[in-house]
Amino acid sequence: MPKKLLEHITNPTDLRKLDVAQLPQLAKELRDFIIDIVSVKEGHLGASLGVVELTIALHYVYDTPNDLLVWDVGHQAYGHKILTERRKKFDTNRQLGGISGFPKRSESVYDTFGVGHSSTSISAALGMAIASQLKGENKHHIAVIGDASIASGMAFEGLNHAGVTTADLLVILNDNAIGIDPSVGALKNYLTAVKEGKNPKQNNMIKSLNFDYSGPIDGHDLPALIQELERLKKVKGPKFLHIITTKGKGLQQAEEDQVKYHAPGKFDAVTGKIHKTATENLPPKFQDVFGLTLVELAKNNPKIIGITPAMPSGSSMKFMMEAFPERAFDVGIAEQHAVTLSAGMATQGMVVFCNIYSTFLQRAYDQVIHDVALQNLPVIFCLDRAGLVGEDGATHHGVFDIAYLRCIPNMMIYAPKDETDLQNILYTASLGLKHPIAIRYPRGRGKNPEWKFPNGFEKIEIGKAQKLKKGKKVAVLSTGTIAHNVTTALEEIKDSEYFAHYHFGFIKPLDDKKLHKICNKFSTIITVEEGVTTGGFGSAVLEFSAKNDYVNEIFLCGVPDYFIEHGTVDELQQLCNIDVDGLKTLFSGIIEEEEDDE
């Protein structure tokens, strides 16, 4: 048996001591290491397996971290992390207090740019390359980007600028025809034609942008990769290397089912078989409530349209795409386009459900303001993964949407408290609205195992709050599914009769009539939200109180004013003191204060 290699590699300096002939063995060991850890600890699997040879070749040829390597998104950076001084703690990946699942500047000098959202690598690496030129430094700059990410507008902006510079920039296109879901669009078709050796227009669009283009080459052929990278080191100006890889390479199941094995959960490291988790008698996923409801509504309304930017599986838009393929659109990683496409359809009387993860709608903020709200077009934004999302961490938490949408005129915001509430607000929106609306709901399952679909629909009155519990002295105002934590906490404390509980599904418009009653009756008010307290729902209540000269004592509970890192949702709620125990402690403390005052 040959000597083990990976266990003797701490950083790329150790890697460069190996002979090229030894690198295929290292690639196998690196794949096995990733599979062994991810099979137990979970994480993003397929993307990192697909770039094992590329990762080794880049760190072998280039003088990292002096030469600057930027990974787009970062799903594929596990091998990079293992080879750059984090092998011994890789088993803490995505866990509370452990290493991040994405490249992160504060974690390592080898992580040159923090990523998590797609299509930023070319602009970032170009910025580094131009800075190096200005400082007179002799450095190489490499951006690794996937075929799904390069179709995004921002990537083209970076290519367009890079092509008129003399910057030492190498863009590597990792072409595997898939992001999280299969890649879509005309660019995908173009790249497929290039791979097959039949360029339909007899020209090369990358060369036309003044890049030195090479490829496509086999991204799993280490000697060929190293030879080409060594050649490109000597080429001046912007360069573009097109490589072909297989997502999930080295694990048969991951190669055959690339969508499922993007992030498969726990699985058998030898067979690749995903461990089954019991789903019987479990509450439904909010994503499935959305997807199934949309299909049901679309059956009776031919004007209903579904749009998602590259997330049909994750958002459950796939149900609409299967049932009504002519009325459901995956537009690729193009959030800005998705929003304005929705606006355009809305001008023609279509009922558009634009499903975007909360964290990704941030990328289309101008379009939300300029193309939708300013024109008061009734686009229905379905903000999936709102709130704390868990192990993906700071780049993916959907905690800012209330704050960044609440300030936009004409925009309505609704946060359902449970599965039925989500179903009913989708139904209400489908009947026609006078304004655009954002409906925010969390990742994962609800709390009601009895929920069945179809469940009948009830229209929700716009702008009305709901009393969930009577109380004598303190009013708790919650919005969204965090209501469950509030309800549970109140059930588990003594003297719960002190507390009234109200659900404010509508964050905008607020139920002013109900708030006047609350402020007149209760001297103490607590707001609870799974979003930032700076500018969030609690801030709206404070603004109302100040505007109307109320002097209530108001406590704001939610996500504090700093970026929350990765961990389980339960752990992160605990960190923010909005878990059941944290709320119980708060409520009990307020009871004691009330009694002391008496």
CSV table of all heavy atoms in Angstrom, one decimal, residues 181-211:
chain,number,residue,atom,x,y,z
A,181,ASP,N,-29.5,23.3,-8.9
A,181,ASP,CA,-30.4,22.6,-9.9
A,181,ASP,C,-29.7,22.7,-11.2
A,181,ASP,O,-28.7,23.5,-11.3
A,181,ASP,CB,-31.8,23.3,-9.9
A,181,ASP,CG,-32.6,22.9,-8.7
A,181,ASP,OD1,-33.2,21.8,-8.8
A,181,ASP,OD2,-32.7,23.7,-7.8
A,182,PRO,N,-30.1,22.0,-12.2
A,182,PRO,CA,-29.5,22.0,-13.5
A,182,PRO,C,-29.5,23.5,-14.1
A,182,PRO,O,-30.4,24.2,-13.9
A,182,PRO,CB,-30.3,21.1,-14.4
A,182,PRO,CG,-30.9,20.1,-13.4
A,182,PRO,CD,-31.1,20.9,-12.2
A,183,SER,N,-28.4,23.8,-14.7
A,183,SER,CA,-28.2,25.2,-15.3
A,183,SER,C,-29.3,25.3,-16.4
A,183,SER,O,-29.7,24.4,-17.0
A,183,SER,CB,-26.8,25.4,-15.9
A,183,SER,OG,-25.9,25.2,-14.8
A,184,VAL,N,-29.7,26.6,-16.6
A,184,VAL,CA,-30.7,26.9,-17.6
A,184,VAL,C,-30.2,28.1,-18.5
A,184,VAL,O,-29.3,28.8,-18.1
A,184,VAL,CB,-32.0,27.3,-16.9
A,184,VAL,CG1,-32.6,26.1,-16.2
A,184,VAL,CG2,-31.9,28.5,-16.0
A,185,GLY,N,-30.9,28.3,-19.6
A,185,GLY,CA,-30.7,29.5,-20.4
A,185,GLY,C,-29.9,29.2,-21.6
A,185,GLY,O,-29.3,28.2,-21.9
A,186,ALA,N,-29.8,30.3,-22.5
A,186,ALA,CA,-29.1,30.2,-23.7
A,186,ALA,C,-27.6,30.1,-23.6
A,186,ALA,O,-27.0,29.4,-24.4
A,186,ALA,CB,-29.4,31.5,-24.5
A,187,LEU,N,-27.1,30.7,-22.5
A,187,LEU,CA,-25.6,30.5,-22.3
A,187,LEU,C,-25.3,29.1,-22.0
A,187,LEU,O,-24.2,28.6,-22.5
A,187,LEU,CB,-25.2,31.4,-21.1
A,187,LEU,CG,-23.6,31.4,-20.8
A,187,LEU,CD1,-22.9,31.9,-22.1
A,187,LEU,CD2,-23.3,32.2,-19.6
A,188,LYS,N,-26.1,28.4,-21.2
A,188,LYS,CA,-25.9,26.9,-21.0
A,188,LYS,C,-25.8,26.2,-22.3
A,188,LYS,O,-25.0,25.3,-22.6
A,188,LYS,CB,-27.0,26.4,-20.1
A,188,LYS,CG,-26.8,24.9,-19.9
A,188,LYS,CD,-28.2,24.2,-19.8
A,188,LYS,CE,-28.0,22.7,-19.7
A,188,LYS,NZ,-29.2,22.0,-19.3
A,189,ASN,N,-26.8,26.5,-23.3
A,189,ASN,CA,-26.8,25.9,-24.6
A,189,ASN,C,-25.5,26.2,-25.4
A,189,ASN,O,-25.0,25.3,-26.0
A,189,ASN,CB,-28.0,26.3,-25.4
A,189,ASN,CG,-29.3,25.9,-24.7
A,189,ASN,OD1,-29.3,24.9,-23.9
A,189,ASN,ND2,-30.4,26.6,-25.0
A,190,TYR,N,-25.0,27.4,-25.2
A,190,TYR,CA,-23.8,27.8,-25.9
A,190,TYR,C,-22.6,27.0,-25.4
A,190,TYR,O,-21.8,26.5,-26.1
A,190,TYR,CB,-23.6,29.3,-25.7
A,190,TYR,CG,-22.2,29.8,-26.2
A,190,TYR,CD1,-22.0,30.1,-27.5
A,190,TYR,CD2,-21.1,29.9,-25.3
A,190,TYR,CE1,-20.7,30.5,-27.9
A,190,TYR,CE2,-19.9,30.3,-25.7
A,190,TYR,CZ,-19.7,30.6,-27.0
A,190,TYR,OH,-18.4,31.0,-27.5
A,191,LEU,N,-22.5,26.9,-24.1
A,191,LEU,CA,-21.4,26.2,-23.5
A,191,LEU,C,-21.5,24.7,-23.8
A,191,LEU,O,-20.4,24.1,-24.0
A,191,LEU,CB,-21.4,26.4,-21.9
A,191,LEU,CG,-21.1,27.8,-21.4
A,191,LEU,CD1,-21.3,27.9,-19.9
A,191,LEU,CD2,-19.7,28.2,-21.8
A,192,THR,N,-22.7,24.2,-23.9
A,192,THR,CA,-22.8,22.8,-24.3
A,192,THR,C,-22.3,22.6,-25.7
A,192,THR,O,-21.6,21.6,-26.0
A,192,THR,CB,-24.3,22.3,-24.2
A,192,THR,OG1,-24.7,22.5,-22.9
A,192,THR,CG2,-24.5,20.9,-24.7
A,193,ALA,N,-22.6,23.5,-26.6
A,193,ALA,CA,-22.2,23.4,-28.0
A,193,ALA,C,-20.6,23.5,-28.0
A,193,ALA,O,-20.0,22.8,-28.8
A,193,ALA,CB,-22.8,24.5,-28.8
A,194,VAL,N,-20.0,24.4,-27.2
A,194,VAL,CA,-18.6,24.5,-27.2
A,194,VAL,C,-18.0,23.2,-26.7
A,194,VAL,O,-17.0,22.7,-27.3
A,194,VAL,CB,-18.2,25.6,-26.2
A,194,VAL,CG1,-16.7,25.6,-26.0
A,194,VAL,CG2,-18.6,27.0,-26.8
A,195,LYS,N,-18.6,22.6,-25.7
A,195,LYS,CA,-18.0,21.3,-25.2
A,195,LYS,C,-18.1,20.2,-26.2
A,195,LYS,O,-17.2,19.3,-26.3
A,195,LYS,CB,-18.8,20.8,-23.9
A,195,LYS,CG,-18.5,21.6,-22.7
A,195,LYS,CD,-19.2,21.0,-21.5
A,195,LYS,CE,-20.6,21.4,-21.4
A,195,LYS,NZ,-21.3,21.0,-20.1
A,196,GLU,N,-19.2,20.2,-27.0
A,196,GLU,CA,-19.4,19.2,-28.0
A,196,GLU,C,-18.6,19.5,-29.3
A,196,GLU,O,-18.7,18.8,-30.3
A,196,GLU,CB,-20.9,19.1,-28.3
A,196,GLU,CG,-21.6,18.5,-27.1
A,196,GLU,CD,-23.1,18.5,-27.4
A,196,GLU,OE1,-23.6,19.1,-28.4
A,196,GLU,OE2,-23.9,18.0,-26.5
A,197,GLY,N,-17.9,20.6,-29.3
A,197,GLY,CA,-17.1,21.0,-30.5
A,197,GLY,C,-17.9,21.5,-31.6
A,197,GLY,O,-17.4,21.6,-32.8
A,198,LYS,N,-19.1,22.0,-31.4
A,198,LYS,CA,-19.9,22.6,-32.4
A,198,LYS,C,-20.4,24.0,-32.0
A,198,LYS,O,-21.5,24.1,-31.5
A,198,LYS,CB,-21.0,21.7,-32.9
A,198,LYS,CG,-21.8,21.0,-31.7
A,198,LYS,CD,-22.8,20.0,-32.2
A,198,LYS,CE,-23.6,19.4,-31.1
A,198,LYS,NZ,-24.5,18.3,-31.5
A,199,ASN,N,-19.6,24.9,-32.1
A,199,ASN,CA,-19.9,26.3,-31.8
A,199,ASN,C,-20.9,26.8,-32.9
A,199,ASN,O,-20.5,27.0,-34.1
A,199,ASN,CB,-18.7,27.2,-31.8
A,199,ASN,CG,-18.9,28.6,-31.3
A,199,ASN,OD1,-20.0,29.0,-31.4
A,199,ASN,ND2,-17.9,29.2,-30.8
A,200,PRO,N,-22.1,27.1,-32.6
A,200,PRO,CA,-23.1,27.4,-33.6
A,200,PRO,C,-22.8,28.7,-34.4
A,200,PRO,O,-23.3,28.8,-35.5
A,200,PRO,CB,-24.4,27.5,-32.8
A,200,PRO,CG,-24.0,27.8,-31.4
A,200,PRO,CD,-22.7,27.1,-31.2
A,201,LYS,N,-22.1,29.6,-33.8
A,201,LYS,CA,-21.9,30.9,-34.5
A,201,LYS,C,-20.4,31.0,-35.0
A,201,LYS,O,-20.0,32.1,-35.4
A,201,LYS,CB,-22.2,32.0,-33.5
A,201,LYS,CG,-23.7,32.0,-33.2
A,201,LYS,CD,-24.1,33.3,-32.4
A,201,LYS,CE,-25.6,33.3,-32.2
A,201,LYS,NZ,-26.1,34.5,-31.4
A,202,GLN,N,-19.6,30.0,-34.9
A,202,GLN,CA,-18.3,30.0,-35.4
A,202,GLN,C,-17.4,31.1,-34.8
A,202,GLN,O,-16.6,31.6,-35.5
A,202,GLN,CB,-18.3,30.1,-36.9
A,202,GLN,CG,-19.0,28.9,-37.6
A,202,GLN,CD,-18.4,27.5,-37.2
A,202,GLN,OE1,-17.2,27.4,-37.3
A,202,GLN,NE2,-19.2,26.6,-36.8
A,203,ASN,N,-17.7,31.5,-33.6
A,203,ASN,CA,-16.9,32.4,-32.9
A,203,ASN,C,-17.0,32.1,-31.4
A,203,ASN,O,-17.8,31.3,-31.0
A,203,ASN,CB,-17.3,33.9,-33.2
A,203,ASN,CG,-18.6,34.3,-32.5
A,203,ASN,OD1,-19.4,33.4,-32.2
A,203,ASN,ND2,-18.8,35.6,-32.3
A,204,ASN,N,-16.1,32.8,-30.7
A,204,ASN,CA,-16.0,32.5,-29.2
A,204,ASN,C,-16.3,33.8,-28.5
A,204,ASN,O,-15.6,34.8,-28.6
A,204,ASN,CB,-14.6,32.0,-28.9
A,204,ASN,CG,-14.5,31.6,-27.4
A,204,ASN,OD1,-14.6,32.4,-26.6
A,204,ASN,ND2,-14.3,30.3,-27.2
A,205,MET,N,-17.4,33.8,-27.7
A,205,MET,CA,-17.8,35.0,-27.0
A,205,MET,C,-16.8,35.5,-26.0
A,205,MET,O,-16.7,36.7,-25.8
A,205,MET,CB,-19.2,34.8,-26.4
A,205,MET,CG,-19.3,33.8,-25.3
A,205,MET,SD,-20.9,33.6,-24.7
A,205,MET,CE,-21.3,35.2,-24.0
A,206,ILE,N,-16.1,34.6,-25.4
A,206,ILE,CA,-15.1,35.0,-24.4
A,206,ILE,C,-13.9,35.7,-25.1
A,206,ILE,O,-13.4,36.7,-24.7
A,206,ILE,CB,-14.6,33.8,-23.6
A,206,ILE,CG1,-15.8,33.1,-22.9
A,206,ILE,CG2,-13.6,34.2,-22.6
A,206,ILE,CD1,-16.6,34.0,-22.0
A,207,LYS,N,-13.4,35.1,-26.3
A,207,LYS,CA,-12.4,35.8,-27.0
A,207,LYS,C,-12.8,37.2,-27.5
A,207,LYS,O,-12.0,38.1,-27.5
A,207,LYS,CB,-12.0,34.9,-28.2
A,207,LYS,CG,-11.2,33.7,-27.9
A,207,LYS,CD,-10.8,33.0,-29.2
A,207,LYS,CE,-10.0,31.7,-28.9
A,207,LYS,NZ,-9.7,31.0,-30.2
A,208,SER,N,-14.1,37.3,-27.8
A,208,SER,CA,-14.6,38.6,-28.2
A,208,SER,C,-14.5,39.6,-27.2
A,208,SER,O,-14.6,40.8,-27.4
A,208,SER,CB,-16.1,38.4,-28.7
A,208,SER,OG,-16.1,37.5,-29.8
A,209,LEU,N,-14.4,39.2,-25.9
A,209,LEU,CA,-14.3,40.1,-24.8
A,209,LEU,C,-12.9,40.4,-24.4
A,209,LEU,O,-12.6,40.9,-23.3
A,209,LEU,CB,-15.1,39.6,-23.6
A,209,LEU,CG,-16.6,39.5,-23.7
A,209,LEU,CD1,-17.2,38.7,-22.5
A,209,LEU,CD2,-17.2,40.9,-23.8
A,210,ASN,N,-12.0,40.0,-25.3
A,210,ASN,CA,-10.5,40.3,-25.2
A,210,ASN,C,-9.8,39.4,-24.1
A,210,ASN,O,-8.8,39.8,-23.6
A,210,ASN,CB,-10.2,41.8,-24.8
A,210,ASN,CG,-10.7,42.7,-26.0
A,210,ASN,OD1,-10.6,42.3,-27.1
A,210,ASN,ND2,-11.2,43.8,-25.6
A,211,PHE,N,-10.4,38.2,-23.9
A,211,PHE,CA,-9.7,37.3,-23.0
A,211,PHE,C,-8.9,36.3,-23.8
A,211,PHE,O,-9.3,35.9,-25.0
A,211,PHE,CB,-10.7,36.5,-22.2
A,211,PHE,CG,-11.2,37.2,-20.9
A,211,PHE,CD1,-12.1,38.2,-21.0
A,211,PHE,CD2,-10.7,36.8,-19.7
A,211,PHE,CE1,-12.6,38.8,-19.9
A,211,PHE,CE2,-11.2,37.4,-18.5
A,211,PHE,CZ,-12.1,38.5,-18.6
